[in-house]
Amino acid sequence: MSKLTGAQILMEMLKEEGVDTIFGYPGGAVIDVYDELEKTDINHYLVRHEQGAVHAADGYARASGKVGVCLVTSGPGATNTVTGIASAYMDSIPLVVFTGQVPTKLIGNDAFQEVDIVGITRPCTKHNYLVSDVKNLARKVKEAFHIARSGRPGPVLVDLPKDVVNATTNFSPPGEISLRSYNPTYEPNIKQLKKVVSLIRTAKKPVVFSGGGVVLSKAHEELTEFARKGQIPVTSTLMGLGAFPGTDPLWLGMLGMHGTYRANMAVTDCDLLISVGVRFDDRVTGKTDEFASQAKIVQIDIDPTSIQKNVQVSVPVVGDCKISLRQLNELLETEECSDRAEDRQEWLAQIDEWKRTTPLAYKQEDIIKPQYVIDKLYELTKGDAIITTEVGQNQMWAAQYYHFREPGRFITSGGLGVMGFGLPAAIGAQVGAPGNLVVDVAGDGSIQMNIQEMATAVQYNLPVKVVILNNCFLGMVRQWQELFYNKRYASTQFHHTPDFVKLAEAYGAKGLRAKTPDEVEKVLSEGLAHPGAVIMDFVVEQEECVYPMVPAGAPIKNMLLV
Amino acid sequence: MTEKRHLLSILVDNEPGVLSRIVGLFSGRGYNIESLCVAETMDPAISRITMTTRGNPMIIEQIKKQLNKLVNVLKVFDLTGQEYVQREMVLIKVTAVQQHRAEILRITDIFRGQVVDVGQDHFTIKITGDNEKISAILSLLRPFGIREIARTGSIALFREKK
Ligand SMILES: Cc1ncc(C[n+]2csc(CCOP(=O)(O)OP(=O)(O)O)c2C)c(N)n1
């Protein structure tokens, strides 16, 4: 055993947890931690705003499958992380956020840069800690990583008072930890799974409804096998995109407020809804009373609180999505079954009919249509890019027109809907999946919320590509005003916007602009091929709307169509 | 779905901030706390929270699941519908003028209460019992003029099998 300072112990523990990347921003309360960090091999990315650090860690976690780690100072450094933490909490992304804190003696005294960040983040973290004694530090850090990545993942915050990181103690790495009050259930109850199989046997019009849980538990192969075996069409939440190939004939497209016609109709009409890793968010269910109201609903989720929270479920299954689907596949294997493809013919034909009569559509005329930009982006990248998004119309068009084939390729702030998420998340994704093409699909509003992170991208040679669908509006809010507020565009129009090409150049990145439809492909090709960071500014139709649209609170079959 | 009162007994880590997590969960999600009582158990590392809450079956199920999800919560028991013993203590400061004093003492006796403080024109009475008993004595004393009451909230334990 050797005597180490708290800061040194933290470094030891980070190494033990396999951390090689941190996104952060220094300050007085963490200066000692930074001093130790500098002596390690851990790569620290100095962002330009702490919110950016958390979104970057979020993007990193999703692209790499590892826990994202942040380090910030006390007070304002800590409060700046709150939006990012809340977003990661809603989307179940594993993060550990270390915040500096004033010395324990000063806590509660309104000391300089003191804030009760543990109190502030209690409702938006999976768990959090104030480490008040250096003797507990190693164990708390270990617990934090364990809690962040296990069960339903989520962000964990660890608050580090300055005197604790400077105190010394004998360090020996804590062994395996077991928390008596925290034991996620991974193994599903086989009896429940057998009920699911018998429902599949008799269902005429089944639908699989998959969500972020499938992505998080890396259950995409099992999901695809399950759907194909049962010949069951698949829809998904925004967070679930990519878990089932967007090019598969059984794919219905996304469900909900901006879901496809066929997905919303199929769920409304189905007699069995097998939901996996979803939490029935209001953006997906619309009016819950009429959501899949003729169907038996199966819900598989690792988090019992997600089950039966918003809708009544016939067969609840608490367990890991991957293990549950694997076991379901095994059960289906041994099932004596008639030819499923034949059984499903009528149902699949009905779905094809919906797809044929009411596909996702837009008309490219004189002015660039935002959908066209995404279409071209998909074509030019062959669907292989990692796409992050901002929030608003840009996010929905990316979800609708980029056909994701793999999980971890669509990185968006789904639950909280944070404008300003996309650029820092792209930076994190680029760090977490180097060698991949990473594109942030942005609106001209959102991109200005964390535009400062362009400097981070340039400093670390991270070749992220920003595609701005520039409509001079807060487009999604404008769309609501157009449709439900008689076109009263209250505070949604930008009368001044910076020149994004010049702005890119000022940051030391490349700037490109397309003003006409025929320039779109050229700009995209040039921008995507550029070896460094790029902003591509697409001057698009100002008053384009995202369709279909289900008005908030309406049944999902009540879609406004183009 | 009809609303019903439920009595929950919750074992938690005896650590700073734990109560705040629980209370925050209730306020953040719009659940109701009707009474709350917290103290250490035989194991000083564990506290027992006894709480009465109210909701329809779906809400009560969510409350129990959400409580269980908190890392510091060890176990949640729903006593409602089970065999249990429940007690609450109340201190009642009641106006007691000369001509009422005997009557008040008689009522206190019937409810096996105790006068714990006496003044010129008041008694402070201590009563223990379940909810109904406490409501009953409060309604009997109300006509004399109840000045103040302090209630502990319910505490409860399962009955052991005989
Ligand atoms: C931080 C934050 N503030 C406000 C909102 C509300 N909001 C949702 S979409 C939107 C408009 C986004 O505009 P823009 O980024 O230009 O994208 P567009 O919808 O035009 O594609 C706003 C203001 C939000 N989601 N996040």
Side-chain angles (χ1 to χ4, degrees):
Chain A
M1 267 206 279
S2 47
K3 262 204 182 307
L4 296 184
T5 66
Q8 289 167 334
I9 291 171
L10 180 59
M11 295 309 129
E12 291 303 314
M13 292 309 298
L14 290 174
K15 277 182 238 163
E16 186 172 312
E17 292 298 325
V19 175
D20 56 15
T21 301
I22 294 181
F23 301 90
Y25 210 95
V30 284
I31 195 162
D32 308 282
V33 179
Y34 268 92
D35 195 48
E36 284 304 324
L37 183 59
E38 192 66 18
K39 300 174 194 161
T40 69
D41 296 332
I42 297 172
N43 297 309
H44 179 267
Y45 291 85
L46 174 63
V47 293
R48 298 303 188 264
H49 185 300
E50 290 89 349
Q51 184 188 351
V54 188
H55 294 326
D58 186 320
Y60 172 86
R62 296 200 216 188
S64 70
K66 297 196 234 170
V67 177
V69 181
C70 298
L71 173 60
V72 302
T73 194
S74 68
T79 51
N80 271 349
T81 65
V82 173
T83 303
I85 292 173
S87 178
Y89 183 60
M90 292 282 268
D91 291 345
S92 311
I93 306 303
L95 301 184
V96 176
V97 178
F98 293 99
T99 49
Q101 183 55 280
V102 301
T104 41
K105 271 203 306 292
L106 292 182
I107 290 178
N109 285 6
D110 300 326
F112 177 63
Q113 295 194 329
E114 178 189 356
V115 73
D116 175 14
I117 196 63
V118 169
I120 289 173
T121 58
R122 224 171 252 143
C124 61
T125 49
K126 188 170 170 189
H127 197 55
N128 61 18
Y129 297 97
L130 168 68
V131 182
S132 47
D133 185 338
V134 68
K135 290 196 193 73
N136 302 330
L137 177 62
R139 168 156 291 273
K140 296 293 176 204
V141 172
K142 183 128 189 128
E143 284 182 17
F145 278 89
H146 172 63
I147 290 172
R149 67 162 77 93
S150 58
R152 176 179 176 178
V156 178
L157 181 138
V158 182
D159 202 20
L160 303 167
K162 193 170 162 107
D163 55 328
V164 171
V165 297
N166 283 325
T168 55
T169 188
N170 289 321
F171 170 71
S172 59
E176 277 305 297
I177 44 163
S178 79
L179 295 164
R180 58 182 174 184
S181 55
Y182 174 78
N183 288 299
T185 307
Y186 290 90
E187 285 291 328
N189 182 329
I190 191 80
K191 275 203 225 112
Q192 295 297 89
L193 292 184
K194 285 188 175 152
K195 284 189 205 160
V196 178
V197 171
S198 78
L199 287 175
I200 294 174
R201 198 185 303 137
T202 52
K204 291 269 176 298
K205 299 185 285 182
V207 170
V208 172
F209 170 31
S210 107
V214 176
V215 175
L216 289 162
S217 76
K218 303 188 174 68
H220 48 286
E221 282 168 6
E222 289 79 359
L223 175 78
T224 307
E225 187 186 334
F226 174 70
R228 289 185 182 152
K229 243 190 200 125
Q231 282 295 297
I232 309 174
V234 181
T235 182
S236 110
T237 64
L238 184 72
M239 292 301 293
L241 292 177
F244 188 77
T247 44
D248 193 284
L250 288 169
W251 174 240
L252 291 170
M254 184 171 71
L255 183 69
M257 183 173 273
H258 295 294
T260 62
Y261 183 76
R262 64 186 191 283
N264 286 3
M265 293 308 288
V267 167
T268 303
D269 210 37
C270 70
D271 61 0
L272 175 63
L273 187 71
I274 304 165
S275 31
V276 193
V278 301
R279 58 185 175 83
F280 294 90
D281 179 276
D282 54 279
R283 283 292 186 268
V284 120
T285 60
K287 189 177 180 199
T288 45
D289 294 348
E290 292 183 43
F291 180 79
S293 55
Q294 300 161 49
K296 289 241 174 353
I297 299 182
V298 169
Q299 190 179 1
I300 302 171
D301 204 286
I302 197 159
D303 179 1
T305 67
S306 286
I307 296 178
Q308 198 107 313
K309 180 172 60 181
N310 300 335
V311 298
Q312 287 285 355
V313 171
S314 320
V315 184
V317 181
V318 178
D320 175 63
C321 293
K322 191 180 177 82
I323 300 173
S324 305
L325 285 170
R326 190 196 300 141
Q327 296 190 3
L328 272 175
N329 286 336
E330 283 162 12
L331 289 173
L332 283 176
E333 199 67 64
T334 56
E335 267 283 287
E336 280 292 321
C337 254
S338 56
D339 185 358
R340 285 237 168 63
E342 204 151 294
D343 285 358
R344 299 282 184 257
Q345 229 171 29
E346 212 174 308
W347 178 229
L348 296 177
Q350 167 69 76
I351 287 166
D352 275 346
E353 177 70 8
W354 284 324
K355 183 176 182 177
R356 203 175 49 76
T357 57
T358 323
L360 284 177
Y362 65 93
K363 236 203 235 120
Q364 179 55 64
E365 289 157 342
D366 302 344
I367 303 172
I368 302 172
K369 286 288 168 97
Q371 301 93 322
Y372 176 70
V373 178
I374 307 296
D375 249 354
K376 282 285 156 201
L377 177 67
Y378 175 68
E379 209 180 290
L380 291 170
T381 58
K382 304 188 180 65
D384 283 336
I386 294 178
I387 304 290
T388 70
T389 75
E390 302 295 339
V391 170
Q393 295 181 315
N394 58 84
Q395 181 184 31
M396 292 302 124
W397 283 317
Q400 291 180 332
Y401 288 91
Y402 202 94
H403 311 290
F404 297 92
R405 291 189 304 253
E406 284 171 51
R409 301 258 141 186
F410 183 58
I411 298 178
T412 195
S413 172
L416 198 66
V418 181
M419 292 172 67
F421 174 84
L423 176 56
I427 287 172
Q430 189 75 75
V431 173
N436 282 269
L437 179 62
V438 182
V439 182
D440 172 28
V441 173
D444 50 316
S446 302
I447 193 64
Q448 295 186 69
M449 285 214 178
N450 273 320
I451 187 82
Q452 77 286 348
E453 299 306 332
M454 278 309 286
T456 312
V458 172
Q459 173 171 335
Y460 295 99
N461 294 316
L462 298 167
V464 297
K465 318 295 182 217
V466 180
V467 166
I468 301 179
L469 305 175
N470 190 343
N471 53 16
C472 297
F473 272 105
L474 295 170
M476 187 55 93
V477 183
R478 186 209 60 75
Q479 170 167 346
W480 284 48
Q481 291 169 333
E482 173 183 332
L483 298 173
F484 312 117
Y485 293 84
N486 270 323
K487 287 203 172 194
R488 284 189 305 279
Y489 292 158
S491 297
T492 43
Q493 188 164 19
F494 285 128
H495 298 288
H496 177 76
T497 298
D499 179 333
F500 289 115
V501 172
K502 282 194 193 149
L503 195 55
E505 286 163 359
Y507 276 115
K510 190 177 183 69
L512 295 167
R513 178 172 293 122
K515 288 185 178 154
T516 58
D518 57 303
E519 289 169 349
V520 169
E521 190 161 341
K522 203 169 85 287
V523 164
L524 276 173
S525 305
E526 189 183 343
L528 296 174
H530 180 71
V534 184
I535 293 180
M536 291 166 258
D537 184 24
F538 294 88
V539 181
V540 299
E541 178 76 54
Q542 294 201 345
E543 299 190 36
E544 186 70 11
C545 287
V546 180
Y547 290 115
M549 176 171 193
V550 178
I556 56 169
K557 65 169 191 288
N558 292 8
M559 284 165 272
L560 307 176
L561 299 164
V562 195
Chain B
M1 280 189 279
T2 51
E3 288 212 346
K4 208 174 138 190
R5 177 184 289 151
H6 280 248
L7 184 60
L8 304 181
S9 180
I10 309 157
L11 295 178
V12 302
D13 288 326
N14 186 6
E15 270 178 29
V18 174
L19 184 61
S20 156
R21 283 179 208 280
I22 289 177
V23 173
L25 170 72
F26 275 72
S27 64
R29 293 185 181 268
Y31 306 144
N32 211 317
I33 299 178
E34 292 193 345
S35 77
L36 183 73
C37 188
V38 196
E40 226 171 80
T41 60
M42 291 290 286
D43 177 351
I46 298 176
S47 293
R48 181 189 298 279
I49 297 179
T50 313
M51 175 191 283
T52 43
T53 180
R54 180 178 274 287
N56 67 39
M58 216 160 146
I59 296 285
I60 296 292
E61 186 188 328
Q62 258 306 301
I63 289 175
K64 289 190 268 182
K65 286 175 172 178
Q66 292 285 357
L67 284 168
N68 264 312
K69 187 170 161 180
L70 294 177
V71 172
N72 296 118
V73 170
L74 290 135
K75 215 153 174 64
V76 180
F77 305 96
D78 186 354
L79 298 167
T80 303
Q82 312 280 331
E83 290 276 305
Y84 63 91
V85 284
Q86 174 203 2
R87 288 292 178 273
E88 179 173 4
M89 189 175 90
V90 59
L91 295 175
I92 308 165
K93 193 182 286 172
V94 60
T95 301
V97 293
Q98 203 54 48
Q99 69 267 35
H100 293 150
R101 287 174 97 92
E103 175 66 7
I104 293 171
L105 289 174
R106 202 159 34 239
I107 293 171
T108 306
D109 246 18
I110 294 169
F111 282 82
R112 294 180 205 286
Q114 244 179 328
V115 175
V116 289
D117 183 40
V118 189
Q120 287 290 331
D121 60 351
H122 87 278
F123 288 144
T124 300
I125 297 163
K126 179 193 88 177
I127 300 282
T128 19
D130 58 16
N131 259 306
E132 280 101 83
K133 181 172 166 189
I134 288 170
S135 314
I137 189 162
L138 285 174
S139 68
L140 284 172
L141 293 179
R142 194 159 292 124
F144 305 109
I146 295 177
R147 297 187 189 171
E148 268 186 305
I149 61 169
R151 298 175 70 151
T152 58
S154 293
I155 51 167
L157 287 175
F158 279 117
R159 272 186 202 280
E160 288 293 318
K161 300 228 162 51
K162 295 257 157 59

